[in-house]
Amino acid sequence: LIFILVSLWLLLAYGELPRLWSKHEHKKIGQRQETVAYTSQDIPADPINMHITASAKSINCAFRRAGWSVADPLSVGSGVQIIRSVVLKRAYPEAPVSSLYFDDRLQDVAYERDEGKTAKKRHHVRLWQVTPNEWLGAATFDRGVGIALFTLQVTHHIGPKVDDERDAVGTVLEQGGAHYLGNQSAHIQPDHWHRNGAGDRYVTDGQIKAFALTSSTC
């Protein structure tokens, strides 16, 4: 019975449900103007809320100095490690983040910092390199591990106040020598509840904060 139930869950969570939800969202893609990342099934995910002008080296130095780590690539091995981290309460500061896409491209790098002794709760930001010195980012806080609302997949759940995490990452950059340049619209309706790819509700002011980081020393 357990084998049948597990097999059914795997079939639904990693097969049929993502396909159905993707089909539902594809009807809306042509109507969407929001600047958001997408899952591999083209389901709208986390909002893009940062724009950084800097070299890869400068960004890496700023986060390293603040105690942040680069997330490991997502694989079977890293997936097992993150489960061990949560279940056995062991540190895993380089735990992988799920794959999200912007402009049909997987994130180039993700930085994170655990809150606590495990990878269960963490601050993190995914970055997409759009030019040699220009990056877009999605900063969110992982509040725990659970089951995605619409696909039943195992995933991290994000905290609802994504602007707080965006501002916290901005502080990390400013401490590394960055200058705040202003805001750009993400074309996301402000002060309304939205959902990401895991079904998590979030609220935002709909703004992308822009920073310029000319140099940073490790």
Side-chain angles (χ1 to χ4, degrees):
L1 179 61
I2 293 176
F3 174 78
I4 293 174
L5 291 175
V6 170
S7 298
L8 179 60
W9 168 68
L10 289 172
L11 178 64
L12 289 173
Y14 295 92
E16 191 63 17
L17 288 179
R19 186 188 68 81
L20 291 175
W21 188 242
S22 177
K23 184 177 180 180
H24 169 74
E25 289 297 329
H26 266 107
K27 297 177 182 178
K28 303 179 182 179
I29 285 180
Q31 307 169 12
R32 293 188 181 278
Q33 295 182 344
E34 300 99 330
T35 307
V36 299
Y38 284 80
T39 69
S40 58
Q41 293 87 22
D42 285 331
I43 299 172
D46 299 344
I48 301 295
N49 51 19
M50 306 200 74
H51 182 184
I52 307 171
T53 302
S55 67
K57 181 179 179 180
S58 294
I59 291 175
N60 187 63
C61 285
F63 280 106
R64 293 289 194 182
R65 288 183 60 191
W68 289 52
S69 302
V70 176
D72 285 342
L74 187 61
S75 66
V76 174
S78 60
V80 171
Q81 287 190 63
I82 197 170
I83 293 173
R84 291 179 59 189
S85 170
V86 173
V87 174
L88 302 179
K89 297 183 178 180
R90 295 178 179 176
Y92 185 14
E94 301 87 13
V97 299
S98 57
S99 298
L100 293 185
Y101 297 80
F102 181 79
D103 198 21
D104 294 326
R105 292 178 54 244
L106 177 67
Q107 69 262 4
D108 292 283
V109 65
Y111 291 94
E112 61 184 324
R113 181 173 62 82
D114 290 345
E115 184 173 282
K117 297 181 179 180
T118 74
K120 184 177 181 180
K121 295 183 179 181
R122 60 184 177 178
H123 305 270
H124 71 303
V125 57
R126 294 177 178 84
L127 296 176
W128 290 264
Q129 189 173 22
V130 293
T131 72
N133 289 296
E134 188 178 10
W135 307 73
L136 291 177
T140 55
F141 176 72
D142 283 339
R143 56 181 173 81
V145 177
I147 300 296
L149 177 63
F150 299 118
T151 65
L152 302 183
Q153 295 178 356
V154 177
T155 186
H156 274 91
H157 291 297
I158 67 168
K161 298 182 179 180
V162 294
D163 296 344
D164 291 349
E165 192 67 10
R166 173 200 63 192
D167 296 343
V169 173
T171 298
V172 170
L173 293 173
E174 289 177 324
Q175 290 173 344
H179 299 284
Y180 170 62
L181 301 179
N183 292 353
Q184 306 164 359
S185 175
H187 305 290
I188 300 174
Q189 189 172 10
D191 304 322
H192 280 70
W193 287 104
H194 305 271
R195 289 190 186 274
N196 73 349
D200 299 330
R201 286 161 55 88
Y202 69 87
V203 64
T204 175
D205 59 14
Q207 296 297 307
I208 299 172
K209 283 199 170 183
F211 297 86
L213 180 61
T214 55
S215 65
S216 182
T217 56
C218 297

